[in-house]
Amino acid sequence: QVRLVESGGGLVQPGGSLRLSCEVSGRIWGIYTMGWYRQAPGKQRELAATITSGGNTNYAISVKGRFTISRNNQNTMWLQMNSLKPEDTAVYYCNVATTGGGYWGQGTQVTVSS
């Protein structure tokens, strides 16, 4: 029913930028928080950034000042990633958190390497 599809991942050099997008199809009712999570090889999935329906944002300390999360109130969320570092390399997942549970995208690979 509800589908979350990430796009925008790829290979970028250190110091470069990427913009990820997450498009939601289907209707999600109520107020919900959206977020980006990431999982590097051999590591646990971790929160990168979240944004509420009211536009309040929260960032992991590792990305604060470099990443910017944004959304519209319909169907799309973005993650602008600047000053990328090799340690940002991970699969990035879009997430929607609701009272009844949550939804996940399939993930998009971000690789930061020379």
Side-chain angles (χ1 to χ4, degrees):
Q1 293 283 61
V2 176
R3 292 178 60 239
L4 279 61
V5 180
E6 303 97 333
S7 62
L11 175 65
V12 65
Q13 293 185 335
S17 297
L18 285 174
R19 179 187 279 115
L20 306 183
S21 65
C22 173
E23 297 187 1
V24 178
S25 62
R27 174 56 62 185
I28 300 175
W29 295 103
I31 300 173
Y32 54 90
T33 296
M34 301 183 72
W36 289 96
Y37 291 73
R38 64 185 187 179
Q39 186 168 20
K43 299 181 67 176
Q44 297 288 326
R45 189 172 299 184
E46 65 178 5
L47 184 148
T50 61
I51 183 167
T52 70
S53 61
N56 297 118
T57 59
N58 183 258
Y59 298 92
I61 58 175
S62 58
V63 309
K64 188 173 296 184
R66 300 186 297 117
F67 291 10
T68 302
I69 188 171
S70 60
R71 67 183 287 177
N72 62 27
N73 288 324
Q74 288 76 47
N75 61 353
T76 309
M77 174 179 66
W78 299 269
L79 184 68
Q80 178 66 46
M81 304 185 294
N82 299 326
S83 302
L84 283 162
K85 306 174 181 180
E87 48 264 50
D88 295 318
T89 295
V91 178
Y92 284 71
Y93 296 91
C94 177
N95 172 261
V96 172
T98 68
T99 300
Y103 304 93
W104 292 91
Q106 82 289 346
T108 185
Q109 176 72 48
V110 172
T111 302
V112 185
S113 176
S114 298

